[in-house]
Coordinates of all heavy atoms in Angstrom, one line a residue:
F682 N 40.4 11.3 1.0 CA 39.9 10.0 0.4 C 40.7 8.8 0.9 O 40.1 7.7 1.2 CB 40.3 10.2 -1.2 CG 39.8 9.0 -2.0 CD1 38.4 8.5 -2.0 CD2 40.7 8.4 -2.8 CE1 38.1 7.5 -2.7 CE2 40.3 7.1 -3.5 CZ 39.0 6.7 -3.5
G683 N 42.0 8.9 1.1 CA 42.8 7.8 1.8 C 42.1 7.5 3.2 O 42.1 6.2 3.5
V684 N 41.8 8.5 4.0 CA 41.3 8.2 5.3 C 40.0 7.4 5.2 O 39.8 6.4 5.8 CB 41.1 9.5 6.1 CG1 40.2 9.3 7.3 CG2 42.4 10.0 6.5
W685 N 39.0 7.8 4.2 CA 37.8 7.3 4.2 C 38.1 5.8 3.6 O 37.4 4.8 4.1 CB 36.9 7.9 3.1 CG 35.6 7.3 2.8 CD1 35.3 6.8 1.6 CD2 34.6 6.9 3.6 NE1 34.1 6.1 1.7 CE2 33.5 6.3 2.9 CE3 34.2 7.1 5.0 CZ2 32.3 5.8 3.4 CZ3 33.1 6.7 5.5 CH2 32.2 6.0 4.7
M686 N 39.0 5.6 2.6 CA 39.1 4.2 2.0 C 39.8 3.4 3.0 O 39.6 2.1 3.0 CB 40.2 4.3 0.8 CG 39.4 4.8 -0.5 SD 37.9 3.8 -0.8 CE 38.6 2.2 -0.9
M687 N 40.6 3.7 4.2 CA 41.1 2.9 5.1 C 39.9 2.4 5.9 O 40.0 1.1 6.2 CB 42.0 3.7 6.0 CG 43.4 4.1 5.3 SD 44.3 2.7 4.8 CE 43.9 2.7 3.0
A688 N 38.9 3.2 6.1 CA 37.8 2.6 6.9 C 37.1 1.7 6.1 O 36.7 0.5 6.5 CB 36.9 3.8 7.3
V689 N 36.9 1.9 4.8 CA 36.1 1.1 4.0 C 36.9 -0.3 3.8 O 36.3 -1.4 3.8 CB 35.9 1.7 2.5 CG1 35.4 0.7 1.5 CG2 34.9 2.8 2.6
Q690 N 38.1 -0.2 3.6 CA 39.1 -1.4 3.3 C 39.0 -2.4 4.4 O 38.8 -3.5 4.2 CB 40.5 -0.9 3.1 CG 41.4 -2.0 2.9 CD 41.2 -2.7 1.6 OE1 41.1 -2.2 0.5 NE2 41.2 -4.1 1.5
Y691 N 39.2 -1.9 5.5 CA 39.3 -2.9 6.8 C 38.0 -3.2 7.4 O 37.9 -4.3 7.9 CB 40.2 -2.2 7.8 CG 41.7 -2.1 7.2 CD1 42.3 -1.0 6.9 CD2 42.4 -3.3 7.1 CE1 43.6 -0.9 6.3 CE2 43.7 -3.2 6.5 CZ 44.3 -2.1 6.2 OH 45.5 -2.1 5.7
I692 N 37.0 -2.3 7.5 CA 35.7 -2.7 8.0 C 35.1 -3.8 7.1 O 34.2 -4.5 7.5 CB 34.7 -1.4 8.2 CG1 35.5 -0.6 9.2 CG2 33.3 -1.9 8.5 CD1 35.3 -1.3 10.7
D693 N 35.4 -3.7 5.8 CA 34.7 -4.6 4.8 C 35.0 -6.1 5.1 O 34.3 -6.8 4.8 CB 35.2 -4.2 3.4 CG 34.3 -5.1 2.4 OD1 33.1 -5.1 2.4 OD2 35.0 -5.7 1.5
Y694 N 36.2 -6.3 5.7 CA 36.6 -7.8 6.1 C 35.5 -8.5 7.0 O 35.0 -9.5 6.6 CB 38.0 -7.9 6.6 CG 39.0 -7.4 5.6 CD1 39.8 -6.5 5.9 CD2 39.1 -8.3 4.3 CE1 40.8 -6.2 4.9 CE2 40.1 -7.9 3.4 CZ 41.0 -6.8 3.7 OH 41.9 -6.6 2.8
P695 N 35.3 -7.9 8.1 CA 34.3 -8.5 9.0 C 32.9 -8.3 8.5 O 32.0 -9.3 8.6 CB 34.4 -7.8 10.4 CG 35.1 -6.4 10.0 CD 36.0 -6.9 8.8
A696 N 32.6 -7.3 7.7 CA 31.2 -7.1 7.1 C 30.9 -8.1 6.1 O 29.9 -8.8 6.0 CB 31.1 -5.6 6.5
D697 N 32.0 -8.5 5.2 CA 31.8 -9.4 4.2 C 31.8 -10.8 4.8 O 30.9 -11.7 4.4 CB 33.0 -9.4 3.3 CG 33.0 -10.4 2.2 OD1 31.8 -10.6 1.6 OD2 33.9 -10.9 1.8
N698 N 32.6 -11.2 5.9 CA 32.5 -12.4 6.6 C 31.0 -12.6 7.2 O 30.6 -13.7 7.2 CB 33.4 -12.5 7.7 CG 34.9 -12.7 7.3 OD1 35.1 -13.1 6.2 ND2 35.9 -12.3 8.0
N699 N 30.3 -11.5 7.4 CA 29.0 -11.6 8.1 C 27.9 -11.4 7.0 O 26.7 -11.1 7.3 CB 28.9 -10.8 9.2 CG 29.6 -11.2 10.5 OD1 29.1 -12.1 11.1 ND2 30.8 -10.6 10.7
K700 N 28.3 -11.5 5.7 CA 27.4 -11.5 4.6 C 26.6 -10.2 4.5 O 25.5 -10.1 4.0 CB 26.3 -12.6 4.8 CG 26.8 -14.0 5.0 CD 27.7 -14.5 3.8 CE 28.1 -15.8 4.0 NZ 29.0 -16.1 5.1
L701 N 27.2 -9.1 4.8 CA 26.7 -7.7 4.7 C 27.0 -7.3 3.3 O 28.2 -7.3 2.9 CB 27.2 -6.8 5.6 CG 26.4 -5.4 5.9 CD1 25.0 -5.8 6.5 CD2 27.2 -4.5 6.7
S702 N 26.1 -6.9 2.4 CA 26.4 -6.4 1.0 C 27.1 -5.2 1.1 O 27.3 -4.4 2.1 CB 24.9 -6.1 0.3 OG 24.4 -4.9 0.9
W703 N 27.7 -4.9 -0.1 CA 28.6 -3.7 -0.2 C 27.9 -2.5 0.2 O 28.4 -1.6 0.9 CB 29.1 -3.7 -1.6 CG 30.0 -2.5 -2.0 CD1 29.6 -1.4 -2.7 CD2 31.3 -2.2 -1.6 NE1 30.5 -0.4 -2.8 CE2 31.7 -1.0 -2.0 CE3 32.2 -3.0 -0.9 CZ2 32.9 -0.4 -1.8 CZ3 33.5 -2.4 -0.7 CH2 33.9 -1.2 -1.2
D704 N 26.6 -2.2 -0.5 CA 26.0 -1.1 -0.3 C 25.6 -0.9 1.3 O 25.6 0.2 1.8 CB 24.7 -0.9 -1.1 CG 25.1 -0.7 -2.5 OD1 26.2 -0.2 -2.9 OD2 24.4 -1.1 -3.4
D705 N 25.2 -2.0 1.8 CA 24.9 -1.9 3.2 C 26.0 -1.7 4.2 O 25.9 -1.1 5.2 CB 24.2 -3.3 3.6 CG 22.7 -3.4 3.1 OD1 22.2 -2.4 2.7 OD2 22.3 -4.6 3.1
M706 N 27.2 -2.2 3.7 CA 28.5 -1.9 4.5 C 28.7 -0.4 4.4 O 29.1 0.2 5.5 CB 29.6 -2.8 3.9 CG 31.0 -2.6 4.7 SD 32.0 -1.1 4.1 CE 32.2 -1.6 2.4
L707 N 28.6 0.2 3.1 CA 28.9 1.6 3.1 C 27.8 2.4 4.0 O 28.3 3.5 4.6 CB 28.7 2.1 1.7 CG 30.0 1.7 0.8 CD1 29.6 2.1 -0.7 CD2 31.3 2.2 1.3
A708 N 26.7 2.0 4.0 CA 25.7 2.6 4.8 C 25.9 2.5 6.3 O 25.8 3.4 7.1 CB 24.2 2.1 4.6
W709 N 26.5 1.4 6.7 CA 26.9 1.1 8.1 C 27.9 2.0 8.5 O 27.8 2.6 9.6 CB 27.3 -0.4 8.3 CG 27.4 -0.8 9.6 CD1 26.5 -1.6 10.4 CD2 28.6 -0.9 10.4 NE1 27.0 -1.8 11.6 CE2 28.3 -1.4 11.6 CE3 29.9 -0.4 10.1 CZ2 29.4 -1.6 12.7 CZ3 31.0 -0.5 11.1 CH2 30.6 -1.0 12.3
L710 N 28.9 2.3 7.5 CA 30.1 3.1 7.9 C 29.6 4.6 8.0 O 30.0 5.4 8.9 CB 31.1 3.0 6.8 CG 32.1 1.8 6.9 CD1 32.9 1.8 5.7 CD2 32.9 2.0 8.1
R711 N 28.7 5.0 7.1 CA 28.2 6.4 7.1 C 27.2 6.7 8.4 O 27.4 7.8 8.8 CB 27.4 6.7 5.8 CG 28.2 6.7 4.5 CD 27.3 7.0 3.4 NE 28.0 6.9 2.1 CZ 27.8 5.9 1.1 NH1 26.8 5.0 1.3 NH2 28.5 5.8 0.0
A712 N 26.7 5.6 8.9 CA 25.9 6.0 10.0 C 26.8 6.1 11.2 O 26.3 6.5 12.2 CB 24.9 4.6 10.2
R713 N 28.1 5.7 11.0 CA 29.1 5.9 12.1 C 30.2 6.7 11.6 O 31.4 6.3 11.8 CB 29.5 4.5 12.6 CG 28.5 3.7 13.2 CD 28.8 2.2 13.1 NE 27.6 1.4 13.8 CZ 26.5 1.1 13.1 NH1 26.4 1.4 11.9 NH2 25.6 0.3 13.7
R714 N 29.9 7.9 11.0 CA 30.8 8.7 10.2 C 32.1 9.1 11.0 O 33.2 8.8 10.6 CB 30.2 9.7 9.5 CG 30.9 10.5 8.5 CD 30.2 11.7 7.9 NE 28.9 11.4 7.4 CZ 28.9 10.8 6.1 NH1 29.9 10.7 5.4 NH2 27.6 10.5 5.7

């Protein structure tokens, strides 16, 4: 869980800066699992 949350935590900064929604950001990460 900690490993997954590290990816979520840090990728979310550029994703949020680029107006990607939360659900779309998670989908983006899962597509690059």
Side-chain angles (χ1 to χ4, degrees):
F682 181 56
V684 166
W685 174 247
M686 282 307 304
M687 288 302 98
V689 170
Q690 178 67 52
Y691 290 107
I692 291 294
D693 187 53
Y694 293 120
D697 184 36
N698 285 342
N699 286 282
K700 308 298 189 294
L701 197 68
S702 72
W703 174 260
D704 290 336
D705 286 343
M706 183 274 297
L707 290 178
W709 191 91
L710 281 174
R711 292 187 187 109
R713 298 156 179 82
R714 189 177 304 275

